[in-house]
Amino acid sequence: MTTPKIEWSSDFETGIDLIDDQHKRLFDYFTDIQHCIERGDGSQVEPLCRGLIDYVLSHLVFEESLMEQAGYPMFEAHRRVHDAFRRRVDDYWAKLSGGADPLKVARDMRTDVGLWLINHIKHEDKHYVAQVKKNLDRGFASRLLGKLFG
Ligand SMILES: [Fe+2]
């Protein structure tokens, strides 16, 4: 089986720097997780996978807040897509807590979470860009950054 490449590509650019920076950070997590998989080193996988989950959950809330603030008409539908994704990452969190082989969790997350993200960024996220860009309130966004990411 060929290994999917979960890495940043300029195809993913939304043109909203705050969002693009967060998407890039998500791919950085995957790069680190990939290195652990290649080395067969499970010791760092758990904190990396938890870090990724934590970060992606904050990122989804960030996106939702910008969509809502911008009056994006498809906001509720987009949030439901995020809700389904949140349930998937919750399962991985539970697996890590339940003593599953961390390298197996890492490989599964790479294909499942990684490919979902690529697909979501390339398609659904592109739909909110025009509305969010037009209505972006930088003060609101920066307060939100502080609240969600410390
Ligand atoms: Fe999204």
Side-chain angles (χ1 to χ4, degrees), residues 11-118:
D11 294 349
F12 305 154
E13 251 158 41
T14 63
I16 302 168
D17 55 349
L18 293 166
I19 296 286
D20 289 338
D21 288 348
Q22 290 174 24
H23 286 162
K24 282 179 191 157
R25 179 83 182 90
L26 290 171
F27 287 97
D28 287 345
Y29 272 108
F30 278 110
T31 303
D32 292 343
I33 290 169
Q34 177 65 30
H35 289 154
C36 290
I37 293 171
E38 282 163 9
R39 289 197 310 267
D41 173 10
S43 67
Q44 286 310 302
V45 163
E46 186 171 342
L48 283 170
C49 288
R50 289 195 193 281
L52 168 66
I53 291 172
D54 210 47
Y55 192 86
V56 80
L57 293 176
S58 296
H59 164 68
L60 297 184
V61 173
F62 183 80
E63 270 192 357
E64 287 166 7
S65 304
L66 291 195
M67 283 188 264
E68 192 176 24
Q69 187 260 334
Y72 177 54
M74 298 292 285
F75 166 64
E76 283 300 337
H78 200 124
R79 187 162 62 182
R80 280 196 295 276
V81 172
H82 283 178
D83 283 343
F85 178 72
R86 280 187 266 261
R87 288 192 289 275
R88 277 157 85 160
V89 293
D90 281 352
D91 285 348
Y92 286 111
W93 189 277
K95 277 181 187 158
L96 289 165
S97 307
D101 171 7
L103 283 171
K104 170 151 179 33
V105 176
R107 285 193 299 268
D108 291 348
M109 278 185 67
R110 179 185 57 190
T111 39
D112 181 20
V113 176
L115 292 180
W116 184 91
L117 269 175
I118 286 177

Side-chain angles (χ1 to χ4, degrees), residues 144-150:
L144 202 56
L145 281 178
K147 205 170 99 186
L148 292 171
F149 298 100

